[in-house]
Structures are given as structure tokens and as C-alpha cells.
Amino acid sequence: MDAEKMSAAKKWAMIGLLTFFGRAIANVPYMREVYYDQVIEALNITNTQLGILSSAVGIASIFGYFFGGFLADRFSSKKIIILSGLMGGVITLWYASYPPFPVLVFIHAAVALDGTLLFWSAYVRIVRMLGGKEGQGKYYGFAEGIRACFGIILPLICTAIMVRSVMASAGLRNALLFYSACYFLTAVLGFFFLVDIKDEHVSESKTKFNPEEYIILFKTPGLWLVSFLIFGTYTVFSLQSYSTPYMTNVCGMSSGTVSTIASIRQYGIGLASMPLFGIIADNVIKSSAKTCLIGAVILLPCAFGMLLCPSDAAVPVILLVLVIGFMVQGIRGVYYATQNEARIPVHLSGAAAGIISSIGFLPDAFIFAQVGAWLDKYPEEQAYHMIWVYMMIGCGIAIASALGIMQLERKHK
């Protein structure tokens, strides 16, 4: 079906289903972002081991993002997403059995591949095609905003499930069973409601690997700039998850309060910031790169504030955590929309999304093992100071990359 002939209702229904699944498939390997202490207790592992599980997700994701673009450009997105839902459901059921640690490493890698190799590039490509040339910021912003809406609804449901459970192990298992049901539901709904957009049908010529496509992309400066814009932003996004154990173990807040704040910070706050950044990028500033730059510039002093703020000042800490969440989620809502300004060829959108994502989300491969080792090795105050400095470095990378994309656009004009 041609995207231009689709009704707005059909487009948003597809985006709604995709964002529901996209949020759910990302939550299982990242349960530590909201339930850090509960995951450690349920799985009976250390901070370092939890970091290893997260690194397994990151390393698998690098390969998944890269080769996922190849699949997204050549095969039916509908079939890919249905397959992803079925596989995600089965793997999560396996996770809920609490197998030994080496098997948990494999499961985390498998869930990551399911979400990146199969789902992610197909999702990014569909949204870009639905948005056309003029609606990139709006479609990406609102799509990510809807995903953020599910991002607060699903974790809050899981929080309610876990609170009702006496033991952390039972609570985590019930939450995993809930997510498994979500994946199977997506596969069923996808069969009835998803349609393949024009040029996504399989053809003999498109199923052949063409190295020239990747050579063209690797020679495109904008590809690298968008990749590092996402890399810097995602570094900040990843490190903010450590504000969860920081508020519990250093600031002395209750686990229930912290889980609620973490759910809002990690997922729910994007419900407002992502669409807002999309509207600003398309209708006010008329530049997604400049919008990202403004957001990253605001993030930098906020990260510095976490470094200076006393740990016993609960209210300022909470405010800084939420502002960081708001800004980083807003940037995430539009950073893929910078591809047009970066002059990345539209006909290579799937491959480009794969390469950009494999570089941009690279922090998953090392940050959590690195920071987990810091938390086990150094005194807590020192370890968290190192984390906040790390966050400031990520802001600097994002600022430099956004400036580079803006320079490319000026040269083109």
C-alpha cells in the first residue's frame, strides 16, 4: 500500500500497535532501569553480574541493529514484526523460569536480537515512510511519545504486580509473564492490522546483498554525525538509569517511591517531551538538529547539578532527575528525524537506521558492565560522582554532533 493513500487513522493505528510492542520488547532486557534492586534480589546476582547481562544486550544489539537494516529494506515489515512478537513471547517465558546465570546471559542477548535485528529497523523505516518529507519531526516525535505513554503504563502495571507479590522473585516472574502475554498479543494484532507499505515487498533484486549501498552510507558524513548524536544522547539516557539505585541507596528514599519516580523519568515523561520536541522541530525551529542541540545544551548543567547537589537534598535531586529525563527523552524523540538534514539517502533508510543504531546504541555494550564494576569497587559517593561526570561527557558529544549536522545543512543550502 502507498503511504500517501493511507488514511491518518490507519497510519496512527499502525504506529500505536508498533509503539506498544516497541516499548514492551525494550522493557524486558532493561528491567533494571526501574527495578534495579528487585532484579538483583530475584536473580541473586551482583552489580557486576547485572552489568554483564546489560552488556550482553548491548553487544547483541550492535549486530542486530546493523543487520536489521538489511532485513528492513528487503522483507515484509509485517511478517518481520509478527515473527518478532512470537519469538519475544517464547524467550520471555524462558526468562521467567530463572535459569542459571550463563543461560540468563544468552536470554538477554536473544531478547536484544529480537528487538533490534527484527523489530527496530523495520519500525524506524515505517515511521520515516509514513512521515514523508515534511512530517519527520512530527511523526517521530509523536511515535516516540506514544511509545513513552506505553512506557509508563506498562511499568506501572508491573509495579502493581510486584507490590502484590511477597517475594521479589515472584514479583519479577509475574511481570515477565505479563510482558510475554503482550508480545503474543502484538503478533496476533499485527496479523490483522499491519499492512506493508509500498516498496517493502520482496523482490529478487532487493534480497541480494549490495555492498555499494553500505559504501555509499559509510562515505556520507551525515551518517556519522547522526550516529554520534544518538551515541552521546544515549550515553546520558543509559546513565540516568543509575539515579534509581542512587535515590534508594544514597538518598535514602523508599523503593516504592523510587520505582514510581523511575517509571515517570524513564518512560512517562517522554509522553510530553517527545511530541513537544517534534512539534518544535517541525513548526517552531524548523530544524531537528537545532532542537537536539538546544536540548543537549540544557542537559549539560543538569548533569553538573547532579554532581554538586547534596545527596540528602531529596527534592532538588528528584527535580534534576526529572528534568534530565524530560530533556533526554525529548531529544530521543527527534534525533532520527535529523537524517534529512544530514543528507542520508531515503532509499537506504533501513540500512542507514541499522548502521546508525548499531553505533548510536553502542553504550549498551560497555557502560553497564563498566559502571557496575565502579559501584562494586568504589565507595558509593565516589562511584556516583564518576557517573555524573560521564553523563556530562555524553552531553558534549551530542552538542558537537548536532552542530556538525547543522553545518552540513548550511553547506547544502
Side-chain angles (χ1 to χ4, degrees):
M1 179 180 290
D2 192 330
E4 294 181 358
K5 296 180 180 179
M6 293 177 63
S7 67
K10 181 66 175 179
K11 290 181 179 181
W12 289 112
M14 286 180 60
I15 288 176
L17 179 59
L18 292 173
T19 52
F20 168 76
F21 180 53
R23 185 65 269 161
I25 197 69
N27 282 3
V28 167
Y30 296 104
M31 296 287 279
R32 52 157 181 78
E33 292 177 345
V34 177
Y35 311 109
Y36 191 95
D37 296 322
Q38 294 95 321
V39 170
I40 284 182
E41 181 181 348
L43 300 181
N44 193 26
I45 57 178
T46 65
N47 289 299
T48 301
Q49 286 178 309
L50 183 56
I52 291 171
L53 293 180
S54 300
S55 292
V57 172
I59 293 169
S61 295
I62 294 171
F63 295 97
Y65 284 128
F66 188 87
F67 293 105
F70 176 83
L71 296 178
D73 279 338
R74 287 160 176 80
F75 297 98
S76 161
S77 292
K78 176 177 179 176
K79 293 178 181 177
I80 289 175
I81 289 166
I82 291 173
L83 177 61
S84 179
L86 294 174
M87 288 185 61
V90 172
I91 296 169
T92 306
L93 285 176
W94 190 10
Y95 185 4
S97 69
Y98 294 166
F101 182 74
V103 180
L104 285 173
V105 174
F106 174 80
I107 287 173
H108 277 71
V111 173
L113 284 175
D114 184 42
T116 56
L117 179 65
L118 296 180
F119 172 79
W120 183 251
S121 291
Y123 163 73
V124 171
R125 186 174 190 273
I126 288 173
V127 175
R128 186 177 186 185
M129 292 181 72
L130 290 176
K133 294 181 179 180
E134 305 299 329
Q136 294 290 298
K138 181 181 71 173
Y139 270 79
Y140 277 116
F142 274 87
E144 289 300 290
I146 296 169
R147 201 159 71 99
C149 179
F150 288 122
I152 190 170
I153 292 172
L154 296 177
L156 286 177
I157 292 174
C158 287
T159 298
I161 291 172
M162 296 181 78
V163 167
R164 290 175 177 272
S165 304
V166 177
M167 302 293 292
S169 58
L172 182 63
R173 177 176 288 111
N174 291 335
L176 291 171
L177 293 175
F178 167 73
Y179 277 122
S180 180
C182 290
Y183 302 153
F184 287 126
L185 177 63
T186 300
V188 173
L189 294 178
F191 179 81
F192 291 103
F193 296 108
L194 290 180
V195 297
D196 283 313
I197 302 175
K198 186 179 179 181
D199 296 333
E200 288 193 335
H201 296 288
V202 181
S203 68
E204 183 178 351
S205 60
K206 290 201 74 178
T207 56
K208 296 179 180 178
F209 176 74
N210 184 2
E212 292 182 2
E213 294 180 356
Y214 288 87
I215 292 172
I216 291 170
L217 288 171
F218 282 127
K219 288 183 177 180
T220 304
L223 177 97
W224 297 99
L225 290 170
V226 175
S227 297
F228 282 105
L229 170 63
I230 295 176
F231 181 96
T233 304
Y234 196 71
T235 296
V236 178
F237 177 76
S238 300
L239 292 172
Q240 71 163 355
S241 66
Y242 286 98
S243 64
T244 301
Y246 177 74
M247 288 187 289
T248 303
N249 300 329
V250 179
C251 299
M253 302 181 200
S254 68
S255 59
T257 299
V258 171
S259 292
T260 301
I261 295 169
S263 296
I264 295 171
R265 176 215 68 211
Q266 199 75 8
Y267 307 118
I269 208 166
L271 177 62
S273 65
M274 288 177 172
L276 178 62
F277 271 57
I279 292 170
I280 291 172
D282 278 350
N283 301 325
V284 181
I285 299 177
K286 299 187 183 302
S287 168
S288 296
K290 189 177 292 186
T291 304
C292 290
L293 174 64
I294 294 171
V297 168
I298 296 173
L299 270 175
L300 185 58
C302 292
F304 187 60
M306 290 294 293
L307 183 66
L308 298 181
C309 189
S311 59
D312 58 353
V315 173
V317 168
I318 291 172
L319 289 176
L320 282 171
V321 166
L322 293 178
V323 172
I324 289 172
F326 184 89
M327 300 310 300
V328 76
Q329 293 281 25
I331 298 171
R332 290 183 73 222
V334 297
Y335 55 25
Y336 274 105
T338 60
Q339 292 180 81
N340 282 353
E341 293 173 72
R343 301 298 154 185
I344 296 173
V346 176
H347 69 283
L348 299 178
S349 293
I355 297 170
I356 289 168
S357 299
S358 65
I359 298 171
F361 298 144
L362 188 61
D364 268 343
F366 60 87
I367 273 187
F368 300 108
Q370 181 182 19
V371 174
W374 289 352
L375 290 170
D376 285 335
K377 181 178 180 181
Y378 299 107
E380 282 187 328
E381 290 280 358
Q382 180 182 352
Y384 283 108
H385 281 178
M386 294 165 70
I387 292 170
W388 311 141
V389 171
Y390 208 165
M391 186 180 286
M392 293 167 63
I393 294 171
C395 294
I397 295 172
I399 290 169
S401 302
L403 287 170
I405 295 170
M406 291 166 59
Q407 182 65 22
L408 274 182
E409 177 69 359
R410 280 195 292 267
K411 285 183 178 180
H412 178 80
K413 288 183 177 179

